[in-house]
């Protein structure tokens, strides 16, 4: 019986890669990569020569049976996403679930995930929080926001630059313009930046300054 390793990769700065992650990626029989071109850059940097197979949200259902057969036959595999920890707003849940069902050992290495540094530097309470990932783009979006209106824990979301202002505006409509928030972008990269303030202040800032990069939104929970 083989083993599946869940291997986090840097969200930006390649120096955040761990020695153990590099060793595992070199030792396994195959690496399942969300985008082999993106992972190829990482492999070239760390001189990793392991064979890669494409594994993403568009093919994971079709590929899962074959992967389970190969793991069951004794191959060791690693799963990586383009950045961060697989399974956190990236492919990963399905393969882990099926491995568990098949009795295949799964080991997740500790490592990068974008929302943790954004939460820590936000200045908002981080003893209790909930992670919302990407909100639904259309169907169910406002229903989800209404459900979160009474959430007292700090809330975390991911968002693209193209929908950032729209999302902040919807937050202001549902949570109130005075609700405090912190927006981090390009975490661990050259242009890393965190902007803090009320939702109305954040909307004004990103209306005046065109959003660029990948964003983590940290929003204060409803006051007791």
């Amino acid at each position: 019986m083989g083993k599946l390793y869940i291997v986090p990769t840097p969200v930006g700065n390649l120096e955040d890669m761990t020695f153990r992650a590099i060793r595992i990626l070199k030792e396994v029989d195959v690496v399942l990569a969300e985008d082999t071109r993106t992972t190829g850059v990482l492999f070239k940097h760390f001189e990793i020569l392991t064979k890669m197979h494409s594994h993403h949200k568009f093919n994971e259902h079709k590929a899962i049976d074959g992967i389970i057969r190969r793991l069951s036959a004794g191959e060791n595999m690693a799963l990586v996403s383009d950045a961060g920890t697989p399974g956190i707003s990236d492919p990963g849940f399905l393969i882990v679930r099926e491995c568990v069902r098949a009795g295949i050992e799964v080991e997740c290495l500790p490592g990068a995930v974008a929302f943790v540094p954004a939460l820590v530097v936000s200045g908002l309470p981080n003893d209790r929080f909930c992670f919302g990932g990407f909100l639904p783009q259309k169907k169910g979006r406002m229903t989800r926001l209404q459900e979160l209106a009474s959430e007292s824990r700090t809330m975390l979301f991911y968002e693209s630059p193209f929908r950032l202002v729209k999302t902040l505006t919807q937050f202001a409509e549902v949570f109130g313009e005075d609700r405090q928030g912190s927006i981090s972008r390009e975490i661990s990269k050259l242009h890393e930046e965190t902007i803090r303030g009320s939702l109305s202040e954040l909307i004004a800032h990103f209306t005046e300054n065109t959003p660029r990069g990948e964003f983590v939104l940290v929003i204060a929970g409803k006051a007791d």
Side-chain angles (χ1 to χ4, degrees):
M1 189 76 76
K3 185 174 181 178
L4 176 68
Y5 294 90
I6 309 299
V7 180
T9 55
V11 297
N13 194 322
L14 291 180
E15 292 180 359
D16 294 335
M17 192 72 172
T18 68
F19 292 119
R20 183 177 172 214
I22 296 169
R23 177 179 62 80
I24 293 295
L25 292 177
K26 288 183 176 181
E27 290 179 353
V28 293
D29 297 298
V30 64
V31 173
L32 305 173
E34 184 179 6
D35 187 326
T36 55
R37 294 166 300 180
T38 300
T39 303
V41 175
L42 183 79
F43 274 29
K44 183 177 180 180
H45 183 83
F46 291 108
E47 300 179 342
I48 299 169
L49 302 177
T50 308
K51 180 170 56 178
M52 283 189 285
H53 286 174
S54 181
H55 184 81
H56 47 73
K57 64 180 180 180
F58 300 109
N59 73 355
E60 60 178 343
H61 286 82
K62 183 184 298 184
I64 192 68
D65 289 342
I67 291 171
I68 295 299
R69 283 196 299 270
R70 292 176 64 175
L71 286 163
S72 298
E75 288 191 58
N76 293 315
M77 297 185 177
L79 175 69
V80 298
S81 63
D82 289 348
T85 300
I88 306 297
S89 292
D90 280 319
F93 162 71
L94 178 63
I95 188 172
V96 170
R97 183 188 69 185
E98 295 307 310
C99 283
V100 170
R101 288 177 174 175
I104 296 166
E105 185 178 358
V106 180
E107 182 174 348
C108 182
L109 278 62
V113 60
F115 72 75
V116 172
L119 173 63
V120 172
V121 304
S122 69
L124 297 171
N126 56 25
D127 56 330
R128 297 170 60 248
F129 62 89
C130 62
F131 175 64
F134 287 98
L135 288 166
Q137 291 188 29
K138 294 180 180 179
K139 185 178 180 181
R141 184 180 178 91
M142 291 309 297
T143 299
R144 180 67 179 135
L145 287 176
Q146 292 293 343
E147 292 172 349
L148 291 169
S150 59
E151 175 59 66
S152 61
R153 296 171 295 179
T154 300
M155 298 173 283
L156 299 109
F157 306 93
Y158 289 157
E159 192 52 279
S160 75
F162 312 107
R163 292 190 297 268
L164 179 65
V165 173
K166 174 185 176 181
T167 297
L168 290 173
T169 300
Q170 290 175 330
F171 283 170
E173 293 171 355
V174 176
F175 304 149
E177 293 185 349
D178 294 332
R179 184 75 67 93
Q180 293 296 301
S182 175
I183 312 298
S184 293
R185 73 180 188 96
E186 297 294 87
I187 291 171
S188 84
K189 299 178 184 178
L190 180 62
H191 299 292
E192 179 175 355
E193 180 182 42
T194 295
I195 305 296
R196 305 172 184 87
S198 67
L199 288 174
S200 62
E201 291 169 336
L202 293 171
I203 292 168
H205 174 84
F206 288 108
T207 299
E208 182 176 343
N209 301 275
T210 302
R212 292 184 174 87
E214 299 299 321
F215 289 83
V216 181
L217 287 59
V218 186
I219 308 298
K222 183 179 180 181
D224 295 332

